[in-house]
Amino acid sequence: MLINRWILSSFLVVTLAGCQSMYYGAMEKAGVHKRDIMIDRVESAQEAQTDAKEQFESALEQYQSIIKIEDQDLVERYEKLNDEYEDSKAAAEAVSERINSVDDVSDALFDEWEDEIELYSSANLKRQSEAKLSQTKKQYKQLIKAMRSAEARMDPVLQVFQDQVLFLKHNLNARAIDSLQGELGNVNTEVAELIKEMEKSIAESKAFIGSLKNE
C-alpha cells in the first residue's frame, strides 16, 4: 500500500511537472516568456497579500467591535466573526497558491537561464549573464523569504481567530464576551505581526518587479 502511494505520488509530481513544462513551452511560442510570467505571478501574489492584509485587518476590527458593542445580539456577533474568519482563511489560501506559482516559475526561469549561459561563445558576455543571474537569484531569495515569512504568520492568526469563533459559538452568553476581552491583546499582537510581515513582503515584491522590468 505504501509503495503504491509512493508510486502514485511520484507519478503526480512528474505529471504536474510535465504539464508545467508544456504550459511554459506553449506560452513561449505565443511570445510570452518565463520572465513575463514571473512578473505577472509576483504581481498577482502581491495583490493577494494586499487583499489578505486588508481582510485580516477587517477581521480584527470585527473582533474588536464584538467586544465593545454591548447591545449587539450574541448570535449575530458569532455569525459576523465567523464570516470574517472564513474570508480570512480563503484569503490565506489564495496567498499560498500565488506564492507557490511564483516559486514554480522561478525554478523554470533559472533552469532555463543556466542552460542558456552554456550556449555563449563570448566569455565576456557569459560572465555578464552569470553575474546578472546571480544578482537576480539573490533578489529572488529575499523576495521568497519575505513571502514565506508572511505566509507563515497567517496560520497562527487564523488559529487565534478560529479559537475565538469556536469559543463564542459554544458559549453564546455574556461571560463568553468577557473571556474574549481578555484575549484581545493577544489577537492585536498576532495581527500586528502579520501585517508587518505582509507589508515587508509586498515591498520586496515591488522591488523585485521593478528590477526585472528595468532590465
Side-chain angles (χ1 to χ4, degrees):
M1 180 64 72
L2 289 175
I3 294 176
N4 289 338
R5 288 180 182 175
W6 181 84
I7 292 174
L8 177 60
S9 176
S10 299
F11 174 76
L12 290 173
V13 169
V14 172
T15 301
L16 289 172
C19 290
Q20 287 293 335
S21 179
M22 290 174 62
Y23 168 75
Y24 294 134
M27 294 298 284
E28 193 90 17
K29 289 179 180 179
V32 181
H33 302 285
K34 294 181 182 71
R35 176 178 170 279
D36 301 316
I37 298 172
M38 176 77 142
I39 291 173
D40 182 68
R41 291 189 179 181
V42 173
E43 287 177 338
S44 182
Q46 177 188 320
E47 291 170 3
Q49 289 179 100
T50 300
D51 290 343
K53 172 178 171 286
E54 292 172 354
Q55 174 53 46
F56 277 101
E57 288 173 332
S58 173
L60 177 60
E61 289 173 3
Q62 186 61 52
Y63 184 87
Q64 292 170 334
S65 71
I66 282 175
I67 295 171
K68 294 175 181 177
I69 302 174
E70 297 181 0
D71 59 350
Q72 190 175 9
D73 179 79
L74 290 173
V75 174
E76 183 181 353
R77 295 185 194 205
Y78 159 72
E79 291 176 347
K80 286 183 177 180
L81 187 59
N82 186 58
D83 287 345
E84 291 289 348
Y85 165 68
E86 293 295 337
D87 288 345
S88 297
K89 187 164 65 170
E93 290 171 356
V95 168
S96 294
E97 289 173 3
R98 303 283 175 82
I99 293 174
N100 290 338
S101 72
V102 168
D103 229 359
D104 181 83
V105 72
S106 72
D107 288 339
L109 174 64
F110 293 140
D111 286 345
E112 179 185 73
W113 197 336
E114 288 170 353
D115 290 341
E116 290 176 346
I117 281 176
E118 299 305 316
L119 302 178
Y120 278 104
S121 59
S122 168
N124 181 46
L125 293 178
K126 182 177 181 178
R127 282 194 298 272
Q128 289 183 51
S129 186
E130 287 174 334
K132 189 60 180 177
L133 173 59
S134 178
Q135 178 188 357
T136 304
K137 278 186 172 181
K138 184 178 180 180
Q139 290 175 318
Y140 178 73
K141 186 176 181 180
Q142 293 176 333
L143 169 67
I144 201 66
K145 180 180 179 181
M147 283 186 168
R148 292 300 186 190
S149 179
E151 179 187 27
R153 291 296 313 175
M154 291 191 295
D155 189 58
V157 176
L158 287 172
Q159 289 293 329
V160 170
F161 278 132
Q162 183 183 53
D163 286 349
Q164 309 314 312
V165 168
L166 289 174
F167 188 78
L168 188 56
K169 178 181 180 181
H170 299 157
N171 301 274
L172 290 174
N173 54 50
R175 289 184 179 180
I177 301 302
D178 291 340
S179 297
L180 293 181
Q181 177 72 52
E183 289 293 322
L184 180 58
N186 182 40
V187 175
N188 283 334
T189 299
E190 291 286 353
V191 174
E193 288 296 323
L194 171 62
I195 298 305
K196 183 168 68 175
E197 292 293 340
M198 283 286 187
E199 290 175 344
K200 179 181 177 182
S201 179
I202 291 168
E204 287 286 352
S205 298
K206 290 179 179 178
F208 186 78
I209 292 168
S211 68
L212 288 181
K213 287 185 174 180
N214 290 331
E215 289 179 5

